Amino acid sequence: FMKKEEEALDLAETMVAIGNSSGKRTIAVLSDMNQPLGMAIGNALEVREAIDTLKGEGPEDFYSLCRELAAAMFMLGEKAANMEEGREMADRLVSSGKAAEKFAEFVGCQGGDPGVLEHPESVLPKAKEQMVIKAQKSGYIASLDAESIGIAAMLLGAGRSKKEDRIDPAVGIIMQKKCGMPVKEGEAVAIMHYNKEDGLEQAVRLLEGAINVSEEQPPKLELIKRMIE
C-alpha cells in the first residue's frame, strides 16, 4: 500500500500520461487506502462480498468505489456522456439484476459454477474455524492499519509470503467495524476465518495491533481522493 498521497499522485499522473500518449484516453481514480475497502479480506470471502455488491447489498464504501470506476469506464467507452450519466447507468444495471447476471455469465464462460450467484454458500469454500477479535476498550474506531490487516490475512493463508506458498481460498478476515464507527469494549471488531494454527498467533497480534480506538469520533475518511485525466 502507498501511504504517501503525493507518491500515489505522481504515479497516477505518469500512468495516465503513458495511456494518453498511446492514443487511449486514460483516467486514474485515487482512492483512500487507510483502511480495508469493504469488509472482506480473503478470496472466497471477497467473492461473496462482490456478489452481494452486484446485487446492491454490499458495503457502502465498496459499492461507491465500484460505481465510480464503472462510471469512468462507461464514459471512456463512450456509453455515457459524463460521470453522472455513467453513475446512473451503473445503478440501473445493479438494480435491474443485469450486473449480477453478467457476473454469472462470466463465471460460466470460465468453467465455473454460475450457481454461485444464487447459492454462494454451497459453491464457495468455507474455513473450518473462526475467531472473534474484540475491542479492548469503548470509543470510536480511529484507524485500521490496512497493511497490517492484509499481512494478517496472508498469515492465515489468504496470500503468499513466498512464490511457492499455496493460497487457501477459504480463509481470511471479515471486518465488523470501520473507521468512525462506535464500538464497546468486548464487541467484535473482526472475525478471522482460518484452517490452520500455523501463523495464527502472529496474525492475531497483527490484527489486534491494527485496530486503534479513540474516545473522540474521528473525521470521516474521504473515499475518492482525486480523479486524474
Side-chain angles (χ1 to χ4, degrees):
F1 300 106
M2 278 195 172
K3 296 184 177 180
K4 293 183 179 179
E5 193 170 327
E6 58 271 19
E7 291 181 2
L9 178 59
D10 289 343
L11 178 58
E13 289 176 342
T14 299
M15 294 176 70
V16 168
I18 292 171
N20 289 337
S21 68
S22 301
K24 299 293 184 181
R25 186 182 175 193
T26 307
I27 293 176
V29 178
L30 291 183
S31 60
D32 181 70
M33 293 294 289
N34 288 306
Q35 65 174 331
L37 180 65
M39 307 299 270
I41 304 102
N43 297 271
L45 299 176
E46 290 184 32
V47 171
R48 178 62 182 267
E49 184 173 74
I51 292 171
D52 290 342
T53 301
L54 286 168
K55 293 179 178 180
E57 301 166 358
E60 181 182 353
D61 63 335
F62 188 42
Y63 182 83
S64 294
L65 183 57
C66 290
R67 179 178 186 251
E68 203 71 8
L69 295 174
M73 292 174 71
F74 288 139
M75 190 171 68
L76 290 172
E78 299 182 349
K79 297 295 184 181
N82 50 52
M83 287 294 293
E84 188 53 41
E85 189 176 310
R87 294 182 189 104
E88 292 172 359
M89 186 179 295
D91 289 339
R92 286 197 303 272
L93 290 170
V94 170
S95 61
S96 68
K98 290 184 178 179
E101 290 171 6
K102 182 58 69 173
F103 169 80
E105 182 183 334
F106 286 164
V107 171
C109 287
Q110 296 182 68
D113 183 353
V116 70
L117 180 65
E118 298 302 331
H119 303 288
E121 69 285 346
S122 64
V123 177
L124 298 174
K126 298 177 183 177
K128 297 176 183 177
E129 305 290 342
Q130 295 184 14
M131 178 183 294
V132 178
I133 303 300
K134 300 178 181 180
Q136 302 299 308
K137 62 179 182 179
S138 298
Y140 295 90
I141 303 295
S143 64
L144 294 168
D145 186 336
E147 184 174 11
S148 293
I149 295 171
I151 294 172
M154 180 198 70
L155 290 168
L156 298 177
R160 295 185 179 94
S161 61
K162 305 185 298 296
K163 182 176 65 175
E164 59 270 22
D165 288 347
R166 296 187 64 180
I167 290 177
D168 184 345
V171 304
I173 301 166
I174 297 288
M175 303 304 299
Q176 303 297 297
K177 297 286 184 178
K178 299 293 289 285
C179 291
M181 290 184 177
V183 64
K184 294 181 180 179
E185 183 180 353
E187 189 176 4
V189 179
I191 300 176
M192 304 177 75
H193 295 243
Y194 65 100
N195 283 324
K196 60 183 179 66
E197 299 287 335
D198 293 346
L200 179 62
E201 185 176 340
Q202 185 181 355
V204 170
R205 289 199 303 270
L206 272 171
L207 187 51
E208 288 179 338
I211 301 164
N212 181 27
V213 177
S214 64
E215 294 182 359
E216 296 184 2
Q217 187 172 21
K220 185 176 181 180
L221 293 174
E222 184 181 4
L223 180 60
I224 304 296
K225 297 288 189 180
R226 192 165 175 180
M227 181 173 287
I228 303 164
E229 292 195 54

